[in-house]
Amino acid sequence: MCFDAAMTLPTAQPWFRIRHAGDGLTQIDEPHVSPLLQANVWWLRGRDRDLVVDTGLGVGNLRIEVPGIAEANPAVVLTHGHLDHTGGAPEFDAVLAHPGDRVHDPLPGSLHRTALLDELLPGGAPANDDNPPLLVTAVPHTGYDPAAYRLRPPVAVYPVADGDVIDLGGRWFTVLHLPGHSPGTICLYEEATGTLFSGDCVYDDVLFDELVGSDVAAYVASMKRLLELDVQVVHPGHGDSFDGDRLREIGERYLATRT
Ligand SMILES: [Zn+2]
């Protein structure tokens, strides 16, 4: 494999794109990453503590570029164990995750397409894949070597289960265990406002249910459960937020292809 392409990558500073979404919510993503791995970090200010949902790839430094994100005793929740959601986890004192995914002992991951797809797809990377081999289009600082990327385990992982409640002080988010994309996929749901942080269970694009660890039957059951909730707004693992009507369209389209 040739890693020489990294030598010519530009430096992108800042690494993260930070957008304020209103009501104390901030959407953070990594624009210099392949769409395959370009995931959201959601940071919600709470009265007593903050909520951080997912942590990005771990290529850029969240704590430096997003001042304050680790200061209000945040509950840092990983929606599942894939690298684009967990890479920045070691920057926090502890994270919460469902034990169904290997968060505490992650696979190494890679910023090289073939190596990553060998890890994520049951049949390995497809032959004759003509997509760009490198999954970043820039580096966060001079000297950063994409070939040295390894997913590191969090400092501490506390398990969460379906029905657990995360209390920010006056706002309560319930953990929903919704396996299918991965065994340990969870969403966070605030019943009072119909707010859903959905991770990779639902976003407005093709849903992945054939990865290593995916389970189509479980995904179907999870989607049916999700569509029974009174959801007003979805903050997904990939792409921008959407409303409950769009959630139902995406969910029903998925179910139509799988049932
Ligand atoms: Zn995922």
Side-chain angles (χ1 to χ4, degrees):
M1 187 175 293
C2 175
F3 294 148
D4 290 343
M7 302 299 287
T8 60
L9 289 176
T11 299
Q13 204 43 250
W15 178 255
F16 294 99
R17 177 172 57 170
I18 301 171
R19 289 175 284 174
H20 297 289
D23 296 328
L25 182 65
T26 303
Q27 179 181 6
I28 302 154
D29 66 0
E30 299 172 274
H32 308 287
V33 169
S34 157
L36 184 70
L37 291 179
Q38 196 177 118
N40 290 317
V41 178
W42 294 101
W43 174 24
L44 178 63
R45 293 285 200 174
R47 188 190 70 199
D48 298 340
R49 68 183 312 195
D50 290 357
L51 175 66
V52 174
V53 182
D54 289 334
T55 60
L57 258 182
V59 170
N61 190 307
L62 265 180
R63 285 180 83 132
I64 290 174
E65 290 203 17
V66 190
I69 194 169
E71 288 173 6
N73 185 29
V76 181
V77 179
L78 304 180
T79 59
H80 62 298
H82 289 147
L83 72 168
D84 44 338
H85 303 262
T86 63
E91 296 182 42
F92 298 91
D93 296 337
V95 297
L96 302 167
H98 191 280
D101 281 13
R102 291 178 54 161
V103 169
H104 64 288
D105 177 28
L107 295 171
S110 178
L111 298 179
H112 292 274
R113 187 176 180 89
T114 302
L116 182 63
L117 293 183
D118 277 342
E119 190 178 285
L120 291 179
L121 297 178
N128 307 318
D129 184 350
D130 57 4
N131 288 291
L134 201 56
L135 296 167
V136 291
T137 56
V139 291
H141 56 79
T142 307
Y144 183 91
D145 179 10
Y149 178 89
R150 296 287 181 279
L151 200 55
R152 294 176 296 133
V155 176
V157 185
Y158 296 110
V160 290
D162 190 73
D164 284 354
V165 174
I166 295 166
D167 182 357
L168 307 185
R171 297 190 72 169
W172 295 272
F173 287 86
T174 302
V175 173
L176 306 177
H177 179 214
L178 296 169
H181 177 74
S182 73
T185 287
I186 58 172
C187 296
L188 296 179
Y189 177 56
E190 186 183 40
E191 189 173 6
T193 61
T195 300
L196 183 77
F197 290 98
S198 64
D200 280 4
C201 186
V202 179
Y203 46 83
D204 197 352
D205 207 331
V206 175
L207 301 176
F208 289 115
D209 62 2
E210 295 180 314
L211 304 173
V212 172
S214 294
D215 181 332
V216 172
Y219 212 140
V220 166
S222 292
M223 191 65 80
K224 288 179 177 174
R225 185 178 172 202
L226 207 47
L227 294 184
E228 289 174 0
L229 300 174
D230 180 14
V231 174
Q232 300 298 317
V233 62
V234 181
H235 304 303
H238 298 270
D240 290 338
S241 304
F242 48 88
D243 65 16
D245 290 340
R246 185 65 186 146
L247 169 65
R248 282 175 279 282
E249 289 171 4
I250 296 166
E252 283 163 12
R253 184 184 66 199
Y254 175 75
L255 292 175
T257 64
R258 291 304 196 202
T259 54

